[in-house]
Amino acid sequence: MLDQELKEQLGEYLKLLENNIVIKVSAGNDDVSQEMVSLINELAALSPKIIIKNETLPRTPSFSVNREGEDTGITFAGVPMGHEFTSLILALLQVSGRAPKIEPELVNRIKAIEGNYLFETYVSLSCHICPEVVQALNAISVLNPNITHTMIDGAVFTEEVESKGILAVPTVYLNGSFFESGRMTIEDIISRLGSKPDINELNKKEPFDVLVIGGGPAGVSAAIYAARKGIRVGIVAQRFGGQILDTLGIENFISVKYTEGPKLAANLEEHAKEYGIDIMKSYRVVNITK
Ligand SMILES: Cc1cc2nc3c(=O)[nH]c(=O)nc-3n(C[C@H](O)[C@H](O)[C@H](O)COP(=O)(O)OP(=O)(O)OC[C@H]3O[C@@H](n4cnc5c(N)ncnc54)[C@H](O)[C@@H]3O)c2cc1C
C-alpha cells in the first residue's frame, strides 16, 4: 500500500514513538479489510513498538490504537489514507506518549472534563477539513480516558451514512446523537461539553496597555503594530484566526502565491507570539465599560 519513499518518511516518524502501542484490528474477508490489514502490517514492519492484536470491534473493518494495557478509545473505521493518513500518524505518536501540541491551559481543561463521551466522526478521505476535526477529537481522547473517538469513512459505512441522512462531512455524532457538522477546533468542542476557561486566570493578569478584541487578520495586525511600540498588548478572541479558518485556498495575499486559512492562522499566532502578545482564546467579550 505504501510506496518506498513514504515508507522511508514514515520510518523516521515512527522512530519518535515513545512507548509500545497496541493496534487492535477487527477485519473480515472483504477487500477493505484486506487493505486495512496490509496497511497495519506495513506500519508494524516499520517499528518494533507497534504490536498487532486481532479483536472484534463494534465496526468491521476498523482498528483501535491503544497504550499497552489501556484502551485509549481512538478508532479508525475504514482505511485512513488520503487526507486522514496524517491523523493516523499523529494518533500513533500521541498514544505512544508524545504530547499533542496543545497549550497547557487547554490540556488541563480537557483532563478536567467529567462524564463519558463517545464521539463518532463521519469523513470522506478527500475532505480537506475533516482531519482537523478528527485530530482534535483524537487529541481530546488521548488526554481524557472518558472520551472516545471513532473516525468513520463514510464511503465504507454507507448504510450508516444513509440511515443517518448525512449529507456533508465532517459530521460528528456524540453518544449516538447529531453533534455538529463542519470545521471545529478543540476549544469549540470542549466548550460544547461545558468546559469553560478559568476566568480567575484572566483576572490575575497585569493590565494591558492595548487589549484587542478579535483574533482575525485585522485584530492580529492591530496587536502587532501596537506591540512593536514596546507596549503591553493582549488579544481576546472567541475564535483565533477568524474567518480565515473557514478558507481553504488563499491566492490574493500579495507576495504569498498560495496559502491556506488554517496555515495562515497558525502564522498569525506565531507572529503575534514573537512580540510577546498574550493571546486569550475562546473568550467572548460581552461588555466593555469605561
Ligand atoms: C469561506 C471564506 C473564504 C474567504 N476567502 C478569502 C480569500 O481568498 N481572500 C481574502 O482576501 N479574503 C477571503 N475571505 C474574507 C476574509 O477571511 C475576511 O475578510 C477576514 O477574515 C476579515 O478579517 P477580520 O479580522 O476583520 O475579521 P474576522 O476574520 O471575522 O475575525 C473576527 C475576530 O473577532 C472575534 N470576535 C468577534 N466577536 C467577538 C467577541 N464578542 N468577543 C471576542 N472575540 C470576538 C472572532 O472570533 C475573530 O477572531 C474569506 C472569507 C470566508 C468566510
Side-chain angles (χ1 to χ4, degrees):
M1 278 201 76
L2 306 172
D3 65 27
Q4 194 50 37
E5 197 183 326
L6 189 54
K7 277 187 190 172
E8 279 167 21
Q9 284 174 7
L10 266 177
E12 292 303 311
Y13 278 119
L14 296 179
K15 279 184 194 157
L16 302 173
L17 291 176
E18 295 197 355
N19 295 293
N20 284 351
I21 48 179
V22 179
I23 300 187
K24 295 185 178 172
V25 184
S26 184
N29 294 321
D30 56 290
D31 290 348
V32 184
S33 287
Q34 298 314 308
E35 211 183 304
M36 179 187 77
V37 168
S38 14
L39 170 67
I40 293 164
N41 286 338
E42 286 183 46
L43 288 173
L46 292 170
S47 170
K49 291 203 164 106
I50 300 179
I51 300 158
I52 303 176
K53 281 192 179 163
N54 291 319
E55 287 259 336
T56 304
L57 299 174
R59 290 182 180 82
T60 296
S62 74
F63 64 94
S64 61
V65 182
N66 308 286
R67 300 180 191 104
E68 251 183 332
E70 184 197 351
D71 283 357
T72 55
I74 295 180
T75 304
F76 293 89
V79 191
M81 293 301 288
H83 289 299
E84 292 302 342
F85 192 57
T86 311
S87 305
L88 169 61
I89 303 308
L90 280 175
L92 297 176
L93 293 173
Q94 291 171 2
V95 169
S96 85
R98 293 195 78 83
K101 286 190 181 158
I102 303 174
E103 283 161 29
E105 190 250 339
L106 207 49
V107 170
N108 291 338
R109 282 175 58 192
I110 294 169
K111 287 184 174 171
I113 294 171
E114 290 176 0
N116 292 307
Y117 299 99
L118 186 155
F119 283 100
E120 294 171 305
T121 306
Y122 292 85
V123 303
S124 104
L125 301 183
S126 58
C127 156
H128 289 273
I129 60 170
C130 293
E132 276 176 56
V133 176
V134 170
Q135 288 163 26
L137 283 162
N138 281 349
I140 293 172
S141 301
V142 163
L143 292 167
N144 186 320
N146 301 322
I147 302 178
T148 66
H149 176 234
T150 302
M151 180 222 82
I152 303 160
D153 180 1
V156 175
F157 294 89
T158 48
E159 275 181 25
E160 283 187 41
V161 168
E162 280 162 23
S163 70
K164 289 188 158 78
I166 294 171
L167 298 172
V169 284
T171 289
V172 180
Y173 274 67
L174 171 58
N175 296 341
S177 302
F178 175 81
F179 179 72
E180 196 52 86
S181 187
R183 174 167 268 137
M184 266 172 289
T185 62
I186 290 182
E187 288 97 330
D188 297 333
I189 297 165
I190 65 170
S191 298
R192 292 272 301 269
L193 301 183
S195 162
K196 299 276 175 265
D198 185 356
I199 206 78
N200 294 322
E201 290 299 314
L202 276 192
N203 290 335
K204 279 188 211 155
K205 291 180 191 278
E206 291 294 313
F208 292 95
D209 296 311
V210 171
L211 184 60
V212 179
I213 301 169
V220 179
S221 303
I224 289 176
Y225 267 80
R228 280 170 59 83
K229 303 295 174 205
I231 56 178
R232 181 167 154 73
V233 178
I235 294 176
V236 187
Q238 192 172 2
R239 195 167 167 242
F240 186 87
Q243 291 175 59
I244 57 172
L245 289 176
D246 301 320
T247 315
L248 184 61
I250 300 172
E251 295 173 346
N252 65 340
F253 180 9
I254 307 309
S255 86
V256 177
K257 284 186 198 157
Y258 179 85
T259 187
E260 295 183 352
K263 185 167 178 238
L264 181 55
N267 290 344
L268 290 180
E269 183 167 354
E270 196 186 329
H271 199 173
K273 283 186 172 163
E274 270 199 14
Y275 285 98
I277 295 169
D278 189 344
I279 301 174
M280 290 153 272
K281 295 182 187 174
S282 299
Y283 289 101
R284 192 168 75 87
V285 174
V286 289
N287 193 15
I288 303 171
T289 48
K290 278 193 181 176

